[in-house]
Amino acid sequence: MIARNLTADVLAALSDSPVVLLNGARQAGKSTLARGLAEGAHPARYLTLDDATVLAAARADPDGFVQALEGAVVLDEVQRAPELFRAIKAEVDRDRRPGRFLLTGSADALLLPNLSESLVGRMEILTLWPFSQGELDGRQEGFVDALFADELPALGVDEPTGQVGLWERVLRGGYPEVVGRAEAKRRRAWFNAYVTTLLQRDVRDLANIEGLTAMPRLLSLLAARASATLNYAEVSRSSGLPQTTLKRYMTLLETTFLIKTLPAWHGNLGKRLVKAPKLLLTDTGLAAHLVGLGEVPPQAGQALPGALLENFVAMEVAKQIAWSAHQPSLFHFRTQTGQEIDLVLEEAAGRLVGLEVKAGTSLSRRDFKGLETLAEARPEAFRRGVVLYGGAEVVGFAPRLHAVPLRALWTW
């Protein structure tokens, strides 16, 4: 079984919090991780609400169901019985021993206020994304922490990742079921079934409405706009959905971890910034499938589409933030005059790192223009700017400005 880099954080949360919610997309590996902990490092009884009998009992009498549980327990797919959250709150208020409840859910509790608010101060929430590249390679990445270090670390002796290797990583994505399928045809079959099942079950359950037939096409439209600034008016025109309906559907897709929006960074720059969020698909394997990129192109030197590569890097950084020591927030940056930075990482103390993504194997000083803009605007907070590129060497272009090979993302 592939080790998950979030395991230590889950165990730490269980050591001092009465309720821990591990949420994330369906088929991201939550149940496997929770069951593994219940059978080993955190002994507990495992119950899944995907079981019809368990679900019926939890819905019929949530208070009686929770009160009958003895010792530590894992409740899998808890979003299927939201009635349980208030019952768990009452039980925790009676007995606040840490580690009593490990919950897993395929809906983002932070976007479901009725669920999260009922356990405020009693529950720690952790998000498990599909496999990171480091997890697939058997290592815990330290790229995010390295960006804030005094000196960038050496790159190591791993073989450089060529374009074909990078294509394979991006098109594979991180869903455990897909990782084990070598043939592109079998990966396509899984993605088709996954989207259909998720939209017909989880999204419909959350929305409690029928008529979601527009969702698959909308998801494909969004995949074609990955890494772009989100323009609701344009997507509304392209999809034929009124903006009110579109925004509701977008919330459902974000709640079920199919998409992620990246807010704009807006420090005290004294300039007007573009405030619209940037759109990401949470898995580039799924994004590539939705836009018809199913396998590595026959031309070995063909570069990845820049938007898909940027999406890949953004999600790998988001995954690593979950176990990083610095825990920065993630943004994008763009001014009205067109200066932009793909990713901005900001620590709680205010230190900033800018991150640009380029598919090419060589760079020029022009590729650092956006990073220089941020450095000039916030010199006291700017830690460094990094351009990730397809080359093989770490190169300093100026103080605090560096070109770094893309493979550092999963090898540092």
Side-chain angles (χ1 to χ4, degrees), residues 18 25 88-89 98 141 227 257 307 315 387:
I88 291 172
K89 172 184 179 295
E141 307 97 314
S227 301
F257 297 95
M315 283 310 305
V387 178

Side-chain angles (χ1 to χ4, degrees), residues 254-335:
E254 191 165 10
T255 301
T256 50
F257 297 95
L258 286 173
I259 66 172
K260 177 180 174 66
T261 52
L262 200 62
W265 182 81
H266 50 89
N268 296 322
L269 300 179
K271 299 179 181 179
R272 287 195 306 142
L273 303 180
V274 175
K275 298 298 195 299
K278 183 176 285 189
L279 175 69
L280 301 174
L281 271 287
T282 55
D283 184 78
T284 53
L286 177 59
H289 166 76
L290 291 169
V291 298
L293 288 174
E295 57 190 52
V296 177
Q299 300 87 355
Q302 183 176 345
L304 272 162
L308 191 60
L309 180 60
E310 182 186 331
N311 195 133
F312 171 78
V313 171
M315 283 310 305
E316 290 299 308
V317 171
K319 293 170 188 177
Q320 292 187 36
I321 285 173
W323 58 78
S324 74
H326 290 82
Q327 297 276 301
S329 297
L330 192 59
F331 305 91
H332 78 95
F333 170 73
R334 186 179 182 184
T335 68

Side-chain angles (χ1 to χ4, degrees), residues 85-380:
F85 277 74
R86 292 198 178 277
I88 291 172
K89 172 184 179 295
E91 183 64 17
V92 168
D93 287 345
R94 186 185 66 81
D95 182 353
R96 295 185 67 93
R97 282 176 298 162
R100 291 193 65 196
F101 296 95
L102 173 57
L103 314 177
T104 81
S106 298
D108 191 344
L110 297 177
L111 298 177
L112 298 172
N114 290 338
L115 302 190
S116 58
E117 287 173 6
S118 60
L119 286 167
V120 168
R122 305 164 181 85
M123 178 173 71
E124 183 166 343
I125 302 173
L126 299 168
T127 300
L128 185 72
W129 299 104
F131 286 132
S132 72
Q133 298 306 303
E135 287 173 328
L136 292 172
D137 289 351
R139 61 164 64 95
Q140 180 159 317
E141 307 97 314
F143 178 78
V144 169
D145 290 336
L147 292 176
F148 288 94
D150 292 337
E151 299 289 338
L152 293 179
L155 191 56
V157 296
D158 296 58
E159 288 297 317
T161 299
Q163 287 292 347
V164 172
L166 190 56
W167 270 98
E168 289 173 345
R169 287 181 181 272
V170 173
L171 299 188
R172 175 183 61 188
Y175 284 108
E177 285 288 333
V178 173
V179 167
R181 299 188 180 202
E183 294 184 11
K185 181 178 179 180
R186 299 305 307 147
R187 293 197 296 269
R188 286 196 301 271
W190 188 87
F191 280 128
N192 282 330
Y194 180 74
V195 171
T196 300
T197 302
L198 189 65
L199 296 183
Q200 287 183 351
R201 176 185 167 175
D202 286 21
V203 171
R204 182 162 291 158
D205 285 350
L206 287 170
N208 196 27
I209 58 174
E210 299 294 329
L212 295 178
T213 55
M215 293 286 273
R217 180 169 179 268
L218 173 60
L219 190 56
S220 295
L221 285 173
L222 297 176
R225 291 158 177 76
S227 301
T229 303
L230 183 55
N231 184 329
Y232 283 105
E234 187 275 327
V235 177
S236 176
R237 289 192 299 270
S238 298
S239 64
L241 295 170
Q243 283 201 42
T244 52
T245 302
L246 171 63
K247 289 180 179 180
R248 184 181 185 189
Y249 283 7
M250 294 278 289
T251 298
L252 290 170
L253 292 173
E254 191 165 10
T255 301
T256 50
F257 297 95
L258 286 173
I259 66 172
K260 177 180 174 66
T261 52
L262 200 62
W265 182 81
H266 50 89
N268 296 322
L269 300 179
K271 299 179 181 179
R272 287 195 306 142
L273 303 180
V274 175
K275 298 298 195 299
K278 183 176 285 189
L279 175 69
L280 301 174
L281 271 287
T282 55
D283 184 78
T284 53
L286 177 59
H289 166 76
L290 291 169
V291 298
L293 288 174
E295 57 190 52
V296 177
Q299 300 87 355
Q302 183 176 345
L304 272 162
L308 191 60
L309 180 60
E310 182 186 331
N311 195 133
F312 171 78
V313 171
M315 283 310 305
E316 290 299 308
V317 171
K319 293 170 188 177
Q320 292 187 36
I321 285 173
W323 58 78
S324 74
H326 290 82
Q327 297 276 301
S329 297
L330 192 59
F331 305 91
H332 78 95
F333 170 73
R334 186 179 182 184
T335 68
Q336 291 283 12
T337 58
Q339 293 295 330
E340 60 182 309
I341 301 174
D342 295 332
L343 298 171
V344 174
L345 292 80
E346 183 177 33
E347 281 186 314
R351 292 197 305 174
L352 300 171
V353 169
L355 194 61
E356 279 279 286
V357 183
K358 304 293 182 183
T361 58
S362 61
L363 299 175
S364 69
R365 188 61 184 263
R366 292 192 304 273
D367 295 309
F368 291 83
K369 187 170 294 186
L371 295 170
E372 290 175 331
T373 299
L374 182 61
E376 292 168 1
R378 295 293 299 273
E380 77 290 349

Side-chain angles (χ1 to χ4, degrees), residues 16-82:
D16 56 20
S17 300
V19 184
V20 176
L21 173 62
L22 182 64
N23 64 7
R26 272 201 175 269
Q27 300 295 316
K30 303 183 303 299
S31 299
T32 301
L33 175 55
R35 190 188 290 270
L37 292 175
E39 294 173 352
H42 181 74
R45 182 184 180 190
Y46 176 88
L47 295 170
T48 176
L49 272 69
D50 279 338
D51 183 293
T53 303
V54 175
L55 179 61
R59 286 177 170 173
D61 182 7
D63 291 312
F65 177 83
V66 171
Q67 290 168 10
L69 299 174
E70 297 181 359
V73 64
V74 173
L75 294 177
D76 201 6
E77 298 298 345
V78 72
Q79 84 284 343
R80 302 202 67 198

